[in-house]
């Protein structure tokens, strides 16, 4: 097998980050990495806050958050009046779940590609309310048309109270046709929550065009914002029903202010987020997306070749800008959560490489990401050493 050439590096991009050069950071999708200039922006805001906390929190902070919200909403083509800043996508999901009024007999429908923490949140809300949850099985190689049909067949109008679907799945790096799924659900009167945790920055996003009742996305992954920066977008019919997880002084303002204001929360991550988008645009948004997707695809092919995986067995994420790729591990390796965590830790400790490992549908999978600070040599080095580590068990 001849592996295609990797993309050309973006000059100077690696120097924007303070990552440990002794480690190959190939898992940007989990916690992201904050550029140095964004770190400095946040530190200046923290210095301002600590110089006079009372002034920082009581004089203009709400207006500054509103300005930030509008900036991020514009980037996502979302209605700023229906967009709330939240700590992460999982927090946004929790807000939605506890606001829609689940009752005994209601059903929350998901797929088997959902993010684990979101599944746990759904399960907890179902236990609390007497509702139930059900997951649709979606084959990894399913076409967009097949995915839409699976969802269409799985909906139970009158019982399915909420459909939760990922825009880009975390465990399987699969791009879902969310706009088409939302259309099918709307025909049957089922509200949809789209988990777009990985979308902002990586994918071209038009939240309004997706048309979901609820949409959540993280800016601290692919949008170069500090960690703890995400948005919850709510369609007009639902906004008056949204309740925050914590009630504070902006409660009477209604959504989105009541969700955003959390008293003495450190808001500097949110206020720094526009600097992250400025950095991304400075590098060239389309250029970054093409580079990251191409590098992830290169890494997938290099690792696949090293592990003896046929090219046809390497999953295709279904989109030219998807910067996460899966490599199937040998049968019996990392098929459970505990085993996957243990293997990830061994790779980090012994090979100085950070990757994601997950067990999904009885198979272990290694997930690679591509980012502007990565080089082809990092994937090649992992490919040269990983087979021997797996052989040792």
């Amino acid at each position: 097998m001849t592996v295609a050439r990797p993309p050309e590096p973006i000059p100077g991009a690696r120097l924007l980050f303070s990552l440990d050069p002794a480690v190959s950071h190939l898992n940007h999708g989990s916690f992201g990495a904050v550029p140095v200039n964004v770190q400095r922006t946040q530190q200046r805001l923290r210095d301002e806050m600590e110089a006079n906390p009372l002034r920082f929190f009581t004089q203009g902070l709400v207006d500054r958050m509103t300005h930030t919200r509008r900036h991020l909403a514009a980037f996502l083509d979302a209605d700023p009046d229906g967009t709330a800043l939240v700590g992460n996508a999982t927090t946004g999901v929790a807000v939605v779940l506890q606001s829609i009024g689940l009752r005994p007999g209601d059903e929350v429908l998901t797929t088997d590609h959902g993010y684990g923490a979101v599944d746990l949140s759904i399960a907890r809300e179902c236990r609390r309310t007497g509702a139930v949850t059900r997951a649709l099985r979606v084959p990894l190689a399913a076409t967009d048309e097949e995915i839409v049909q699976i969802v269409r067949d799985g909906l139970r109008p009158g019982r399915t109270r909420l459909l939760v679907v990922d825009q880009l799945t975390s465990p399987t790096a699969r791009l879902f046709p969310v706009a088409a799924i939302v259309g099918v659900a709307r025909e049957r009167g089922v509200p949809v929550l789209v988990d777009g945790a990985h979308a902002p920055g990586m994918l071209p996003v038009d939240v309004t065009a997706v048309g979901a009742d609820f949409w959540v996305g993280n800016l601290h992954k692919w949008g170069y914002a500090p960690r703890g920066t995400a948005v919850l977008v709510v369609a007009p019919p639902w906004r008056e029903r949204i309740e925050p997880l914590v009630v504070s002084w902006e409660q009477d303002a209604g959504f989105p202010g009541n969700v955003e204001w959390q008293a003495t929360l450190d808001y500097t991550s949110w206020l720094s987020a526009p600097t992250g988008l400025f950095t991304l645009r400075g590098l060239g948004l389309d250029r970054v997306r093409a580079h990251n997707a191409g590098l992830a695809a290169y890494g997938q092919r290099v690792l696949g070749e090293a592990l003896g995986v046929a090219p046809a067995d390497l999953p295709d994420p279904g989109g030219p800008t998807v910067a996460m790729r899966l490599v199937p591990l040998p049968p019996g390796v990392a098929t459970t959560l505990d085993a996957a965590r243990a293997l990830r830790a061994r790779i980090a400790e012994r090979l100085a490489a950070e990757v994601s490992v997950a067990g999904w549908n009885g198979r272990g999978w290694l997930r690679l990401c591509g980012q502007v600070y990565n080089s082809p040599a990092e994937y090649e080095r992992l490919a040269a050493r990983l087979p021997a580590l797996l052989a040792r068990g």
Side-chain angles (χ1 to χ4, degrees), residues 271-292:
L271 299 180
S272 305
T275 304
L277 295 183
F278 175 83
T279 305
L280 186 58
R281 289 187 175 109
L283 291 171
L285 189 54
D286 292 338
R287 184 186 190 189
V288 168
R289 287 171 174 163
H291 170 275
N292 293 349

Side-chain angles (χ1 to χ4, degrees), residues 296-312:
Y298 175 79
Q300 181 195 44
R301 292 191 292 270
V302 168
L303 263 292
E305 181 181 58
L307 296 177
V309 180

Side-chain angles (χ1 to χ4, degrees), residues 306-326:
L307 296 177
V309 180
D313 294 329
L314 292 173
D316 184 340
T321 61
V322 174
M324 301 194 302
R325 293 279 182 142
L326 288 188

